[in-house]
Amino acid sequence: MFYAVIVNNKAKNEKLKMFIGQDKPGDSLLPISEDDFRSNILGFTHENTAVSFRVCIHEIRGIRDCIESQPEKKIYLFVFDTDTLAAYDYSEIRAKKKYRDRVEIPYTMATNDANLVIDYP
């Protein structure tokens, strides 16, 4: 059982990659392991202008309750430029917060009845 956060790429920018962080507060949500980061980052294509992240895996409650149970009652969407990901090693990206944007997703944005859809930007 899981819920999904779906991010629509309204600008149709194919050079964006997204990462969702949960279970830890603030910027420390970027994993220490580069493998964990690389395996969970999603990007857009010309044909696919939305990405879907599984969150709250194995939770019985709805997505709103699941996000509310996080340490800060929110999860974070990190947005990266593909150029940045190519130019820097992961340890520098993590340490120097080289993300384009960090979007806070509070539990109040979600319901327990459906997946959460977010338009970016």
Side-chain angles (χ1 to χ4, degrees):
M1 180 85 174
F2 67 89
Y3 301 96
V5 174
I6 300 159
V7 182
N8 290 321
N9 180 2
K10 290 299 193 180
K12 297 186 177 9
N13 184 345
E14 295 175 29
K15 292 192 167 216
L16 295 181
K17 295 234 178 200
M18 306 282 177
F19 177 84
I20 289 258
Q22 61 182 21
D23 297 324
K24 295 180 185 152
D27 291 326
S28 63
L29 285 170
L30 291 176
I32 293 172
S33 164
E34 181 175 2
D35 289 340
D36 289 344
F37 175 74
R38 299 281 180 197
S39 66
N40 290 300
I41 193 166
L42 299 175
F44 301 102
T45 65
H46 179 67
E47 297 84 27
N48 187 14
T49 59
V51 294
S52 178
F53 293 93
R54 292 179 177 185
V55 295
C56 306
I57 295 171
H58 305 299
E59 294 284 343
I60 297 170
R61 302 165 296 190
I63 192 168
R64 180 185 173 111
D65 289 346
C66 182
I67 294 171
E68 187 176 17
S69 74
Q70 300 297 306
E72 295 184 355
K73 300 188 183 297
K74 58 186 132 186
I75 57 178
Y76 295 89
L77 170 69
F78 292 90
V79 181
F80 296 88
D81 287 308
T82 55
D83 295 342
T84 300
L85 294 171
Y88 299 95
D89 69 22
Y90 179 67
S91 61
E92 187 170 357
I93 289 170
R94 186 176 190 273
K96 295 186 178 176
K97 302 177 184 175
K98 291 194 171 284
Y99 46 80
R100 176 185 183 142
D101 199 2
R102 185 187 79 174
V103 180
E104 294 182 358
I105 304 170
Y107 73 95
T108 54
M109 286 181 66
T111 71
N112 284 330
D113 301 326
N115 293 322
L116 177 59
V117 179
I118 297 171
D119 293 331
Y120 185 87

